[in-house]
């Protein structure tokens, strides 16, 4: 049996599953799912034959399921292999003297195997195999099954939950469908050898030229290069225009410098090794660069005889936090797809034009939690990218020196991918042609079903963890075997010489020529002048944040009438929409507030709507982002009878407006935040927001924050407009629901302790206390002519507080975000209290109750990084009395919150304006946890904090 369209060949359904519910369906912007291909059931004749020859069926199914356990996939033959009894035909009662009809049981290849390009169109039934009346002897059946399933590729696909995928896979591999002639043409074999040879020669050259360099070479895993070359080629010829590539350090330099792949300048590499920057320092003040194993490149790679078919391959930068780049790559890919959709035909499907390719180390793939988090995103409507091709570069010794038996609890490192029912192809890295075939099969599966697929490339490391390592300390027998064998390029070269494809003379000359090329490139490294390419393409209209052209304070106000219209549009629903009864009050409250003062959710909606009208897109991801964790946002409404969903701002602002995407996510922090980082790198006109349910939930994404958010601009010249909304505030909710860890972000800020130039700062951290401040912050994030991460300690208890509400006049033209807000002031006051965020209202309420307003002046520090030196000096210099007591008040413990960051900066400001004395701290004492969970103690602490500040 085989796939059929409506015209009896294939049935195409846009439904990802049979669904009764329509909640969050494709009516909401950004909802993208792959088309589903449905195969017809077995014919009655096929079912009859399967029943009549059940022993043969059981045998064939067993080989399909267990063949990989006996396949010749380990180049060192070190993997533990038990005999696989399930592959013995005699166990099934089959007779060697008998012929068996294959109808409905087994496919066999046609006598003439035409090459077919990868396609979603299904091939017709073949004249042999399932669907035919052909019979074969048991010996012929065994031979075919062993050649397919127990050779240099081991297939795991029988665990896939979708029957359609299992049937497709068995047909594909058993009929030996391929994009290339079999055997490969001489030219293709030569190309494979050149890739292997150049990788080996580059590693040898670097070893001689830079003997103390840890280059994390490709030696032992050179088949990675023909794998990628094949993947790039079949992708280009299938209409894919963009590939986003992420990989760890091993083999990176070989991939970068190969002239047929990314064609990175060897001169640039050598200059970097010698200590020069990989960018032009004059164009990127403040940039610090990264190590050679994190370098990146982008290139349009041509294929075909006339080089008219090409694919753009973008290799992303990566940190040494292995696998952390995975969700970032997914986000970049998704961004490219969403952009391409705007200019593509309506029938364009998810993954038609852009594809994500990820390389992994086996230790990291099995051990790093972000792998499973990222795999979990692969099929989600607001995170999917049409299928990622994963290549695990696997070594018998896993990790640094840890053997596999101590590093994972599964047979293969790839087993984690089974969580999404992903097919896995294990392939022997000593056989580059088998590697190329495995890649072709994996890509064709991806094209057919737009799902992830894994290639487990089994190879070895010739020099251990790095070239300065001695692996024999811990794996003496393995490395005795490795040192006694020829390299992968040498083995393949010998095969081609036997076949007459290469001669000794041509092979030697090719190696000499490439070495001469490397030597010539090396001689130029002292003259090499690097170029910065961070402001090209979509970034050409933006500037470097630390440059003189940066506009740090754009006008972010909007006409009052426009604000009113947007606020009304945000709650406008069709007449026949069945709204939840409680939300009627939400709508009426919003409309009434426009006559007085608005709350945070309304100000946020007006910021989003005004940006949409100016052509920007907005995306919010996280759990509960549609309605908001505190049921405050309600940017989307769900019909109570049909469960259909509507986002009013997408319906009411006109066709030319941008779109608001509400991406309710999986319960992941690191992967989802990384995904949004990728979107922000690729889309400067997108406002990407990640909202945590509670601020300290960002703990699960700390390494993403450290490597991809606060340091990406300095390391990789990457600007990001990402916004992190982290609900913060002490209200008795206990240790895990009170703090967004302000102290961590401020510690990560590179803000100076004495002054700043604003543009050099790596992140903006704010604790806004009014809706108008939030409105301006969100708009400023897009209206600036550069991009910088924005971290917001967003409110909880203030969301609906009338004390914090803002008038529309605070958001009209001429108004902007204010880093400092002055509270009630009195020249006779003897104390100045500085604080941030919600704590201002706690102290103000206490002052009002105690009738001491005239004795204290209040100043809110709304923006902590960059620290508002100038604005604070302007406020404090107004007062002629320089003997006043200066207090920093906060609700966080003294070893947390902003105190340790603010103290030296505030003292510098006080010295500049002539104040005497030191800053006094008023707040909780240091604590081992963020907050207490005993109600009485919480109440006592609040009272003590107020007394410390006011008395």
């Amino acid at each position: 049996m085989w796939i059929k369209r409506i015209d009896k060949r294939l049935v195409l359904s846009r439904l990802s599953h049979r669904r009764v519910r329509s909640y969050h369906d494709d009516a909401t912007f950004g909802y993208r799912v792959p088309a589903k291909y449905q195969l017809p059931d077995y014919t009655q004749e096929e079912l009859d034959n399967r029943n009549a020859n059940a022993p043969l069926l059981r045998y064939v199914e067993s080989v399909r399921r267990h063949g990989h356990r006996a396949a010749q996939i380990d180049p060192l033959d070190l993997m533990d292999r038990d005999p696989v009894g399930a592959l013995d035909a005699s166990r099934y009662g089959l007779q060697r003297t008998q012929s068996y009809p294959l109808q409905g049981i087994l496919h066999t290849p046609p006598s003439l195997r035409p090459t077919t390009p990868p396609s979603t169109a299904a091939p017709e039934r073949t004249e042999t195999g399932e669907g035919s009346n052909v019979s074969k002897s048991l010996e012929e059946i065994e031979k075919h099954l062993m050649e397919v399933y127990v050779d240099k590729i081991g297939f795991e696909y029988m665990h896939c939950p979708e029957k359609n995928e299992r049937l497709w896979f068995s047909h594909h591999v058993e009929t030996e469908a391929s994009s290339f002639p079999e055997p490969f043409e001489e030219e293709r074999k030569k190309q494979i050898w050149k890739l292997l040879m150049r990788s080996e020669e580059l590693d040898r050259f670097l070893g001689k030229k830079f003997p103390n360099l840890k280059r994390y070479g490709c030696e032992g895993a050179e088949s990675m290069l023909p794998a990628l070359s094949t993947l790039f080629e079949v992708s280009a010829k299938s209409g894919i225009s963009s590939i986003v590539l992420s990989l760890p350090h091993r083999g990176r330099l070989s991939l970068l410098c190969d002239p047929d792949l990314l064609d990175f300048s060897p001169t640039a590499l050598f200059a970097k090794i010698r200590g020069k920057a990989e960018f032009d320092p004059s164009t990127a003040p403040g940039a610090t660069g990264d190590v050679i194993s994190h370098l990146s490149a982008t290139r349009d790679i041509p294929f075909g005889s006339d080089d008219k078919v090409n694919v753009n391959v973008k290799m992303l930068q990566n940190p040494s936090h292995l696998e952390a780049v995975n969700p970032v790559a997914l986000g970049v890919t998704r961004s490219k797809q969403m952009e391409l959709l705007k200019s593509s035909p309506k029938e364009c499907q998810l993954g038609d034009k852009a594809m994500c390719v990820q390389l992994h180390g086996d230790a990291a793939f099995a051990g790093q939690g972000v792998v499973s988090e990222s795999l979990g995103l692969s099929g989600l409507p607001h995170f999917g990218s049409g299928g990622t091709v994963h290549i695990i570069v696997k070594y018998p010794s896993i990790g640094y020196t840890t053997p596999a038996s101590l590093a994972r609890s599964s047979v293969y490192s790839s087993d984690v991918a089974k969580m999404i029912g992903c097919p896995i192809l294990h392939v022997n890295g000593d056989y580059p042609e088998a590697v190329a075939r495995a890649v072709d099969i994996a890509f064709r599966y991806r094209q057919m079903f737009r799902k992830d697929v894994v290639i487990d490339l089994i190879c070895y490391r010739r020099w251990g963890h790095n070239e300065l390592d001695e692996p024999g300390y811990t794996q003496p027998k393995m490395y005795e075997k490795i040192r006694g064998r020829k390299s992968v390029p040498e083995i393949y070269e010998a095969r081609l010489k036997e076949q007459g494809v290469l001669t000794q003379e041509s092979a030697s000359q090719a190696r000499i020529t490439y070495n001469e090329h490397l030597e010539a490139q090396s001689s130029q490294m002292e003259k090499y002048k690097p170029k910065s390419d961070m402001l090209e393409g979509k970034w050409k209209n933006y500037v470097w944040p630390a440059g003189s052209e940066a506009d740090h304070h754009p006008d972010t106000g909007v006409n009052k009438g426009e604000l009113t219209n947007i606020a009304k549009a945000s709650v406008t629903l069709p007449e026949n929409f069945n709204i939840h009864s409680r939300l009627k009050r939400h709508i009426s409250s919003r409309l009434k507030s426009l006559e007085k003062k608005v709350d945070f959710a309304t100000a946020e909606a007006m910021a989003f709507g005004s940006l949409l009208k100016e052509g920007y897109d907005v995306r919010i991801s996280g759990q509960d982002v549609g309605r908001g964790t505190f049921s405050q946002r309600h940017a989307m409404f769900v019909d109570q009878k049909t469960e259909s969903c509507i986002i009013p701002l997408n319906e009411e602002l006109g066709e030319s407006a941008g779109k608001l995407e509400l991406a309710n996510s999986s319960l992941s922090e690191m992967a989802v935040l990384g995904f949004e980082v990728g979107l922000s790198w690729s889309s400067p006109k997108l406002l990407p927001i990640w909202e945590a349910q509670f601020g300290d939930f960002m703990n699960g994404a700390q390494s993403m924050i450290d490597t991809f958010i606060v340091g990406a601009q300095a390391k990789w010249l990457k600007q990001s407009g990402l916004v992190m909304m982290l609900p913060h505030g002490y209200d008795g909710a206990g240790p895990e629901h009170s703090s967004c860890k302000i102290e961590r972000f401020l510690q990560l800020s590179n803000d100076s302790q004495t002054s700043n130039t604003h543009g050099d700062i790596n992140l903006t951290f704010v604790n806004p206390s009014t809706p108008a401040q939030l409105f301006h912050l969100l708009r400023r994030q897009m209206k600036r002519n550069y991009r910088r991460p924005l971290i917001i300690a967003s409110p909880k208890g203030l969301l609906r507080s009338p004390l914090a509400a803002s008038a529309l006049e605070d958001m009209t033209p001429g108004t902007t975000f204010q880093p400092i807000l002055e509270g009630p002031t009195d020249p006779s006051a003897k104390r100045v209290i500085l604080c941030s965020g919600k704590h201002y209202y706690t102290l103000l309420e206490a002052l009002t109750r105690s009738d001491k307003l005239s004795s204290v002046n209040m100043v809110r520090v709304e923006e902590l990084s960059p620290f508002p030196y100038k604005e604070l000096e302007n406020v404090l210099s107004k007062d002629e009395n320089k003997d006043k007591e200066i207090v920093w008040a906060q609700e966080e413990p003294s070893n947390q919150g902003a105190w340790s960051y603010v103290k030296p900066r505030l003292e510098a400001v006080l010295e500049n304006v002539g104040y005497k004395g030191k800053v006094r701290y008023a707040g909780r004492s240091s604590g081992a946890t963020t907050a207490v969970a005993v109600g009485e103690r919480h109440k006592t602490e609040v009272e003590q904090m107020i007394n410390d500040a006011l008395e």
Side-chain angles (χ1 to χ4, degrees), residues 31-235:
Y31 185 101
R32 300 285 296 169
V33 295
K36 184 178 177 62
Y37 296 90
Q38 186 173 346
L39 287 78
D41 204 352
Y42 289 99
T43 65
Q44 188 58 51
E45 292 80 2
E46 289 169 337
L47 290 172
D48 291 343
N49 189 51
R50 287 164 69 88
N51 288 325
N53 290 284
L56 177 63
L57 176 62
R58 286 192 295 117
Y59 172 54
V60 170
E61 293 283 276
S62 292
V63 175
R64 288 169 175 166
R65 184 174 296 276
H66 301 292
H68 65 92
R69 294 165 53 197
Q72 305 163 46
I73 55 176
D74 181 6
L76 300 181
D77 198 23
L78 293 173
M79 295 174 67
D80 290 333
R81 291 281 179 168
D82 295 326
V84 186
L87 306 184
D88 183 358
S90 65
R91 297 167 67 101
Y92 301 89
L94 300 171
Q95 303 298 317
R96 296 199 171 275
T97 57
Q98 184 178 339
S99 279
Y100 293 91
L102 305 183
Q103 190 175 18
I105 296 176
L106 177 65
H107 308 281
T108 57
S111 54
L112 294 176
R113 283 176 286 182
T115 59
T116 56
S119 172
T120 53
E124 298 284 355
R125 290 175 184 264
T126 59
E127 289 303 315
T128 56
E130 291 190 16
S132 72
N133 294 319
V134 169
S135 295
K136 297 280 186 181
S137 69
L138 181 58
E139 182 179 356
E140 291 175 307
I141 293 170
E142 278 184 309
K143 181 175 183 293
H144 178 49
L145 287 171
M146 294 304 108
E147 287 176 349
V148 171
Y149 291 105
V150 194
D151 198 18
K152 304 303 184 294
I153 306 175
F155 299 100
E156 285 193 274
Y157 64 87
M158 293 296 284
H159 63 276
C160 296
E162 289 285 342
K163 179 183 74 171
N164 300 322
E165 296 173 28
R166 297 194 302 273
L167 292 175
W168 179 92
F169 225 103
S170 62
H171 178 278
H172 198 86
V173 299
E174 290 165 18
T175 60
E176 301 177 13
S178 175
S179 301
F180 312 111
E182 184 66 33
F184 284 2
E185 312 104 312
E186 285 193 6
E187 214 37 60
R188 183 168 296 280
K189 292 181 179 183
K190 287 180 180 178
Q191 177 60 20
I192 289 174
W193 174 76
K194 287 177 184 177
L195 291 165
L196 302 174
M197 176 273 293
R198 289 194 293 253
S199 176
E200 182 172 54
E201 292 301 325
L202 176 64
D203 274 318
R204 288 174 176 176
F205 184 88
L206 290 172
K208 293 175 184 176
K209 187 69 92 176
F210 309 100
N212 296 319
L213 175 69
K214 292 181 181 180
R215 62 183 184 273
Y216 301 101
C218 206
E219 291 158 296
E222 289 94 344
S223 287
M224 165 184 130
L225 299 184
L228 289 170
S229 177
T230 301
L231 185 54
F232 298 161
E233 179 184 354
V234 294
S235 300

Side-chain angles (χ1 to χ4, degrees), residues 473-522:
Y473 293 151
T474 50
Q475 281 94 22
K477 290 185 177 180
M478 177 191 299
Y479 275 88
E480 181 182 5
K481 197 165 191 176
I482 289 173
R483 287 162 179 159
R485 77 195 313 268
K486 289 184 176 180
S487 68
V488 175
E490 288 170 340
I491 291 172
Y492 189 61
E493 183 177 311
R495 288 194 201 118
L496 297 192
K497 288 176 182 175
E498 289 176 6
Q499 297 170 12
V501 176
L502 286 178
T503 64
Q504 180 62 46
E505 182 181 0
S506 63
S508 298
Q509 186 57 50
R511 289 179 182 270
I512 292 170
T513 301
Y514 188 59
N515 267 279
E516 290 173 346
H517 167 69
L518 295 176
E519 197 63 61
Q521 292 281 301
S522 174

Side-chain angles (χ1 to χ4, degrees), residues 592-695:
K592 288 178 182 178
S593 71
L594 298 175
E595 301 170 6
K596 299 177 182 178
K597 291 185 175 183
V598 299
D599 60 14
F600 278 89
T602 304
E604 179 190 78
M606 293 190 295
F608 292 162
S610 60
L611 288 172
L612 296 177
K613 293 199 73 171
E614 293 175 32
Y616 297 99
D617 293 320
V618 179
R619 172 184 160 104
I620 320 175
S621 75
Q623 293 100 44
D624 304 325
V625 296
R627 60 153 218 186
T629 295
F630 308 101
S631 196
Q632 85 285 2
R633 178 173 293 127
H634 295 292
M636 64 169 223
F637 295 86
V638 178
D639 189 290
Q640 297 301 295
K641 292 184 178 180
T642 66
E643 286 198 334
S644 61
C645 179
I646 187 170
I647 301 173
L649 285 177
N650 285 342
E651 306 296 324
E652 300 295 325
L653 299 183
E655 292 185 4
S656 62
K659 293 295 183 181
L660 170 62
E661 182 174 6
L662 301 172
N664 283 333
S665 73
S666 65
L667 192 55
S668 155
E669 283 80 40
M670 184 169 178
V672 175
L673 180 59
F675 191 94
E676 304 307 316
V677 169
L679 288 170
S680 73
W681 281 7
S682 189
S683 305
K685 293 204 70 176
L686 169 72
L687 177 63
I689 301 171
W690 179 69
E691 182 177 61
Q693 282 185 312
F694 290 90

